[in-house]
Amino acid sequence: FIGLDHIIDEIIDSITPWFLFPEVQLRPLVINLWGMTGTGKTALVKRFSELLSYDKAFLHIDSGEFGSNSDIWLKSMLSDDLVHYHEKEVIICLDEFQFARTIDENGNEIEKDKLRIVWELIDSGKFYYNASPNQYTIKKLAKLLDLMSECLNKEIEINQGKIVENFPLFSEMFKGFSLYYYADNNKKQKKNYFISNEFISTIYELVEEEYTTRLQLIDKIKTFSFQELYQFVHEAMTREGALKLMDLSKSLIFIIGNLDEAYYMSSVINPDISANDFHKETLKITISDVKTALQNRFRNEQVARLGNSHIVYPSFDEKNYLKFIEMKLNIVRDFIKDKFAYVIEFHQSVIDIVYQEGVFPTQGVRPVLTTIGNLIESYASKLLTDLIEEELTPQKIEWKYEGEKYVIKAYVKNKLVFDKKYSVNLKVNSLRKSKNDDTQSHIAVHEAGHAIIAALATHILPELIVTQTVDNRSAGFCQIRRPEGLFTKKLTRQEIMIALGGFLAEKMIFGEDQTSTGVSEDIVRASNLANEAIKNYGMGYEPIKISVKDADYNDQFFYSDEHGQQAFYFFKEAEREAIKILENNQLLLLKMAEYLTVNSRMDRKTIEKFCKKYSQELWVQKEGFIEPDQYYSFKQIIQEKIARLE
């Protein structure tokens, strides 16, 4: 496992007490693993169980298979597979747990009564299951007990056998339920359900040795509280051997899932985004972010049951991807060496093209594995076929990538015996080729405008500029590095400048009539920032909250034309500063645009090289650029003011 050392250490620390002293555990140990697809969550849990010799006491459940009969299915699976592990240690993996959601996208509760066993398992590890699976009535009674247990949590109460507290909730929970063979899904229960003929006749079959008549049973039930009634039904069933307790309280439960709400960037599938920057963003995800994301899918009480052991998987950075690719190529190399005695040396250029073709930072390693199959294993088969047909047994094979072709040379005692080129069919990297046309030239000016404003206003170099991207939805982009943490008035103004940079650059170089529709999102962002600064962030003349006039917001100050003018002036101030930077650095803008027309990408080092060569800002040569964490100097300001006052 690559890039997961800290994850493995954290899991080891979490499970050590369970592994060494399971007998003192009173409820399951729950460990939550959250991350995007293809980061090795499930594979790691399976490997852990193997290394701990728990592979035979390991149960993997795909939560995506939870359906209308999940309760019966899950109880059957758990009782059948784990019956020998009653009160013993077992590892349970609830995978793809995001599909077990109990709240929909609109915040409404989803009817998931039949997943109650999942939460019982997570909470206490104990549940009752039907020991006689062929008896229909027993199954119904088991369901009845589940519903009654839920009623206890909802503070539903009875008096004289009738519901007297929270009846609407009881009615909704028991809607469509029946102890008879033929159920009516629309059936609504009455307040006297627990002294109804359906309930009494069914329960009477279990207790007829104690009660002479049904009326005698009814009289007894009328004396019960809801808790006592539940206990009465429960004892009747267990006494008859209808139900058995499954105690998995000593189990280790792994909850595994993908949380798009926490990994907000997971919807971006553009392979041109930086794996390193994406990795840094995922490192910022905290347990608070995870719990907030879980609240979008589960009720608060359920989020609480998941506990606090939440382990967050980061995405792979470039180093990890390259190491992963190298490891997989070594597997191919070793296989060929064992089977054919050929020793292949993969050049770094091969690793690089697999990275460029296969890495989609938000999708993990799975696309890389597919790419290795297409770009390496299939061509290895062609190579082996050619070597066998030519009856060659080379001692060393060099495999390089040059000019969209594999250049493969084979040697026997350092003598070249095989030299062949294979054309490589690239599906992703070919889309990155520069078109060097007018459209790309226009995009180049736009993105260079963003980059120059970002670099010269904040003194922080952008990470990357792309003018020909794989993603058809994006003409190009400039990947900006921003200061960590706070969003001050100064930075807000600079963000407006950066947002306007593309439009202002187009206007300056091509003229107002040649600006493009691609500036719309930038203008919306700049306008929103200016309005938010004045109306929400107190960055105008008065540090107050501004809203449109409405009686429901009587504790806020109401919007007037004056506040709109303040936002407009804030916007125009940022625009003037951006124009000044671009006018002073027009040669830099044109030189970067020229480069980005011929080349589809410009990395940070190249951006810095161009800025130092063509920028007219004196500080670029004297002081140079800073890192994002050097942007603020609040600690220094405090110390300077203390020294001055002392």
Side-chain angles (χ1 to χ4, degrees):
F1 291 96
I2 292 172
L4 299 181
D5 286 0
H6 65 292
I7 297 287
I8 293 171
D9 289 341
E10 195 170 349
I11 292 177
I12 289 174
D13 290 341
S14 298
I15 71 172
T16 297
W18 167 84
F19 185 69
L20 296 179
F21 311 109
E23 64 276 3
V24 302
Q25 183 167 294
L26 300 178
R27 58 189 302 270
L29 172 62
V30 178
I31 299 177
N32 304 272
L33 305 180
W34 307 110
M36 293 179 299
T37 183
T39 51
K41 303 183 294 296
T42 306
L44 185 58
V45 169
K46 289 182 176 179
R47 185 61 178 144
F48 254 115
S49 67
E50 292 172 3
L51 292 173
L52 296 176
S53 299
Y54 271 78
D55 46 316
K56 292 183 179 179
F58 175 79
L59 182 62
H60 178 268
I61 299 174
D62 185 352
S63 304
E65 296 180 4
F66 290 167
S68 59
N69 293 318
S70 294
D71 186 65
I72 298 173
W73 169 67
L74 270 173
K75 282 188 175 181
S76 176
M77 173 185 286
L78 291 168
S79 57
D80 290 348
D81 291 355
L82 303 178
V83 65
H84 300 298
Y85 293 96
H86 175 67
E87 297 183 340
K88 297 179 182 177
E89 308 92 72
V90 65
I91 299 177
I92 301 172
C93 176
L94 296 175
D95 208 347
E96 302 291 350
F97 197 71
Q98 70 274 10
F99 293 121
R101 67 186 306 160
T102 55
I103 295 178
D104 65 19
E105 292 81 355
N106 299 318
N108 301 315
E109 289 197 15
I110 301 172
E111 184 63 33
K112 288 266 184 167
D113 281 346
K114 296 184 178 180
L115 291 183
R116 191 176 295 108
I117 182 179
V118 174
W119 299 103
E120 290 178 1
L121 178 66
I122 292 170
D123 191 32
S124 66
K126 299 177 182 179
F127 61 91
Y128 287 93
Y129 67 97
N130 180 11
S132 305
N134 293 324
Q135 299 179 29
Y136 179 85
T137 301
I138 297 302
K139 288 184 179 181
K140 284 289 189 176
L141 286 168
K143 173 62 178 176
L144 172 69
L145 270 182
D146 286 342
L147 288 172
M148 292 181 70
S149 175
E150 188 71 12
C151 286
L152 289 172
N153 296 329
K154 304 294 185 181
E155 298 183 352
I156 291 171
E157 192 51 82
I158 61 173
N159 184 32
Q160 291 292 310
K162 297 180 181 180
I163 306 296
V164 293
E165 292 288 341
N166 293 324
F167 174 70
L169 184 58
F170 167 82
S171 180
E172 181 63 27
M173 292 173 61
F174 271 75
K175 182 179 178 181
F177 174 75
S178 175
L179 289 169
Y180 293 148
Y181 284 90
Y182 301 103
D184 179 3
N185 292 331
N186 296 315
K187 177 184 177 182
K188 294 183 179 179
Q189 306 297 351
K190 297 180 180 179
K191 291 184 178 182
N192 65 345
Y193 175 75
F194 292 112
I195 53 176
S196 67
N197 184 62
E198 173 188 316
F199 182 82
I200 295 299
S201 60
T202 305
I203 300 300
Y204 185 72
E205 292 181 12
L206 301 177
V207 296
E208 57 184 343
E209 292 182 3
E210 299 178 45
Y211 296 89
T212 308
T213 65
R214 286 175 171 77
L215 289 175
Q216 189 181 6
L217 175 60
I218 291 173
D219 290 339
K220 183 65 175 178
I221 289 176
K222 285 182 176 181
T223 67
F224 289 150
S225 66
F226 202 99
Q227 174 69 49
E228 291 168 336
L229 177 60
Y230 172 81
Q231 194 65 31
F232 177 78
V233 176
H234 174 269
E235 289 176 358
M237 292 185 66
T238 52
R239 185 169 60 250
E240 289 295 310
L243 287 182
K244 283 190 177 180
L245 174 68
M246 173 65 78
D247 185 354
L248 299 176
S249 58
K250 301 189 186 310
S251 62
L252 167 62
I253 299 178
F254 284 99
I255 306 287
I256 298 178
N258 306 329
L259 286 180
D260 292 342
E261 294 88 348
Y263 293 82
Y264 63 90
M265 67 299 283
S266 61
S267 60
V268 180
I269 60 171
N270 193 336
D272 289 318
I273 65 174
S274 167
N276 290 335
D277 280 2
F278 191 65
H279 171 76
K280 290 176 184 176
E281 286 298 311
T282 58
L283 287 176
K284 298 175 186 176
I285 299 173
T286 65
I287 184 173
S288 178
D289 297 323
V290 168
K291 290 205 171 194
T292 300
L294 287 169
Q295 284 182 318
N296 292 321
R297 292 176 179 268
F298 304 101
R299 297 194 296 270
N300 281 335
E301 67 191 67
Q302 294 168 335
V303 176
R305 291 188 189 191
L306 295 176
N308 280 345
S309 183
H310 294 276
I311 299 176
V312 180
Y313 273 62
S315 66
F316 273 19
D317 60 12
E318 182 177 337
K319 180 181 67 177
N320 288 330
Y321 274 116
L322 291 172
K323 189 175 179 181
F324 178 80
I325 293 168
E326 185 177 0
M327 181 183 73
K328 292 301 178 182
L329 292 186
N330 288 341
I331 292 174
V332 175
R333 180 200 62 194
D334 293 343
F335 175 81
I336 292 175
K337 182 180 179 181
D338 291 342
K339 293 292 183 180
F340 302 95
Y342 301 155
V343 178
I344 294 180
E345 295 179 359
F346 289 106
H347 191 262
Q348 183 64 38
S349 59
V350 178
I351 297 174
D352 291 341
I353 193 59
V354 172
Y355 180 93
Q356 294 168 26
E357 186 74 4
V359 171
F360 286 69
T362 62
Q363 296 188 324
V365 299
R366 290 192 180 100
V368 179
L369 293 172
T370 304
T371 300
I372 290 173
N374 294 334
L375 288 189
I376 303 299
E377 294 172 359
S378 62
Y379 285 91
S381 299
K382 294 179 183 179
L383 170 62
L384 292 171
T385 301
D386 290 344
L387 291 174
I388 292 171
E389 286 181 351
E390 296 185 27
E391 298 181 351
L392 295 174
T393 54
Q395 296 168 324
K396 184 178 74 170
I397 299 172
E398 293 179 350
W399 189 328
K400 294 183 179 181
Y401 176 80
E402 293 177 355
E404 299 185 5
K405 293 183 178 180
Y406 284 138
V407 179
I408 301 179
K409 297 181 180 182
Y411 299 86
V412 175
K413 295 182 180 179
N414 295 324
K415 179 182 178 182
L416 183 65
V417 296
F418 181 88
D419 188 352
K420 192 167 182 177
K421 295 181 179 180
Y422 297 88
S423 295
V424 182
N425 180 25
L426 300 179
K427 296 181 179 179
V428 175
N429 208 42
S430 59
L431 299 175
R432 295 189 174 104
K433 285 184 182 178
S434 174
K435 294 180 180 178
N436 196 9
D437 59 8
D438 281 333
T439 299
Q440 187 167 340
S441 182
H442 198 285
I443 295 169
V445 168
H446 181 99
E447 300 303 339
H450 286 308
I452 290 170
I453 297 296
L456 301 184
T458 67
H459 295 206
I460 301 171
L461 287 165
E463 183 71 23
L464 177 69
I465 309 173
V466 175
T467 54
Q468 182 62 40
T469 177
V470 173
D471 189 351
N472 291 328
R473 297 171 296 180
S474 172
F477 64 87
C478 178
Q479 196 167 325
I480 308 293
R481 299 195 304 157
R482 292 175 168 82
E484 299 286 341
L486 300 174
F487 219 73
T488 61
K489 182 176 181 179
K490 176 183 176 182
L491 183 57
T492 302
R493 184 170 57 251
Q494 290 172 346
E495 283 290 327
I496 295 173
M497 293 167 61
I498 294 168
L500 293 173
F503 167 71
L504 296 175
E506 290 183 25
K507 186 177 178 181
M508 181 179 295
I509 301 303
F510 301 123
E512 189 170 353
D513 288 344
Q514 299 295 337
T515 58
S516 69
T517 57
V519 304
S520 61
E521 289 186 12
D522 296 333
I523 292 176
V524 169
R525 172 167 170 73
S527 301
N528 285 343
L529 283 168
N531 279 285
E532 290 286 304
I534 303 303
K535 298 172 186 176
N536 288 339
Y537 306 146
M539 295 177 179
Y541 301 147
E542 310 96 353
I544 56 178
K545 167 77 173 176
I546 306 296
S547 67
V548 295
K549 194 166 186 177
D550 192 313
D552 291 337
Y553 296 93
N554 208 33
D555 58 339
Q556 299 176 11
F557 294 88
F558 295 141
Y559 169 83
S560 68
D561 290 342
E562 180 187 351
H563 302 114
Q565 286 295 320
Q566 288 184 46
F568 179 74
Y569 290 145
F570 192 67
F571 181 97
K572 295 300 287 185
E573 180 187 6
E575 183 185 29
R576 283 193 296 272
E577 290 186 41
I579 291 173
K580 184 178 178 181
I581 289 175
L582 290 175
E583 286 178 342
N584 290 344
N585 296 276
Q586 194 167 155
L587 181 60
L588 171 61
L589 175 62
L590 290 167
K591 284 291 186 179
M592 287 180 68
E594 180 185 44
Y595 179 91
L596 287 164
T597 301
V598 178
N599 304 276
S600 62
R601 302 164 72 84
M602 180 181 276
D603 60 21
R604 182 151 52 111
K605 288 184 179 179
T606 309
I607 296 170
E608 183 176 22
K609 176 182 174 183
F610 271 70
C611 286
K612 287 185 174 180
K613 186 173 182 180
Y614 299 110
S615 173
Q616 298 301 304
E617 311 294 328
L618 295 178
W619 63 264
V620 172
Q621 300 298 334
K622 289 183 178 181
E623 304 166 18
F625 294 94
I626 62 173
E627 293 299 314
D629 60 1
Q630 298 173 311
Y631 181 84
Y632 294 118
S633 55
F634 299 130
K635 289 173 62 178
Q636 180 183 340
I637 291 171
I638 291 173
Q639 295 304 317
E640 288 174 353
K641 292 199 171 187
I642 288 174
R644 212 164 36 240
L645 290 170
E646 286 180 337

